[in-house]
Amino acid sequence: MRKKRLPVTETLYAVYLIATVLSLVIAYMDLEHPLFFKFVLGYIFFTFFLLLYTPIVTIINLKLFEWQEIRRSIVRFVIYFVVLSFINYGFNYLFKRESIDVLKIISVNIGLSFGITFFDYLFLNLKSKN
């Protein structure tokens, strides 16, 4: 299979990076103008759009790969999740014993493991078999 970069996804993330920097500047400088408020509001909607877009594109691109490669990625995902969960829980136990939030630990580690494991599937588009 020939792997081709997906320029739409790259463009969306480049725009998101620029919008993040601009939103941080607006928030840090405490700029109050209706245009800036609308920009930050649009940035928030754009963030939610990307939160939906990322898993959908990853799953669509994942369908195009062979089962052995997908299985290897799922095993890596589980290993990363377990290791990161133990590390996170261990550090929370050592430094914040009175307030360990297991749901927060699990949700952060699922997202981090998903991002580490399936990051390359997000930006690839398989066109033809060779």
Side-chain angles (χ1 to χ4, degrees), residues 19-114:
T20 301
V21 170
L22 290 175
S23 295
L24 288 173
V25 167
I26 290 170
Y28 179 73
M29 295 180 69
D30 198 24
L31 301 174
E32 293 183 17
H33 190 276
L35 182 64
F36 295 141
F37 178 74
K38 290 178 184 177
F39 178 80
V40 173
L41 192 62
Y43 170 75
I44 292 169
F45 287 128
F46 189 51
T47 300
F48 286 119
F49 167 74
L50 280 180
L51 286 174
L52 293 174
Y53 175 81
T54 301
I56 291 171
V57 169
T58 302
I59 291 169
I60 289 171
N61 286 344
L62 205 60
K63 287 182 179 179
L64 302 172
F65 282 87
E66 296 175 4
W67 174 245
Q68 293 173 344
E69 194 170 348
I70 295 171
R71 185 175 55 198
R72 189 176 17 204
S73 295
I74 291 172
V75 168
R76 267 191 357 210
F77 169 78
V78 170
I79 290 170
Y80 283 142
F81 174 71
V82 169
V83 169
L84 289 172
S85 295
F86 280 125
I87 290 171
N88 200 347
Y89 185 77
F91 279 126
N92 280 340
Y93 184 75
L94 289 174
F95 298 116
K96 295 187 331 184
R97 285 188 182 179
E98 66 277 351
S99 63
I100 295 177
D101 188 5
V102 177
L103 185 62
K104 182 179 178 183
I105 291 172
I106 289 173
S107 62
V108 167
N109 291 324
I110 284 176
L112 192 58
S113 301
F114 182 82

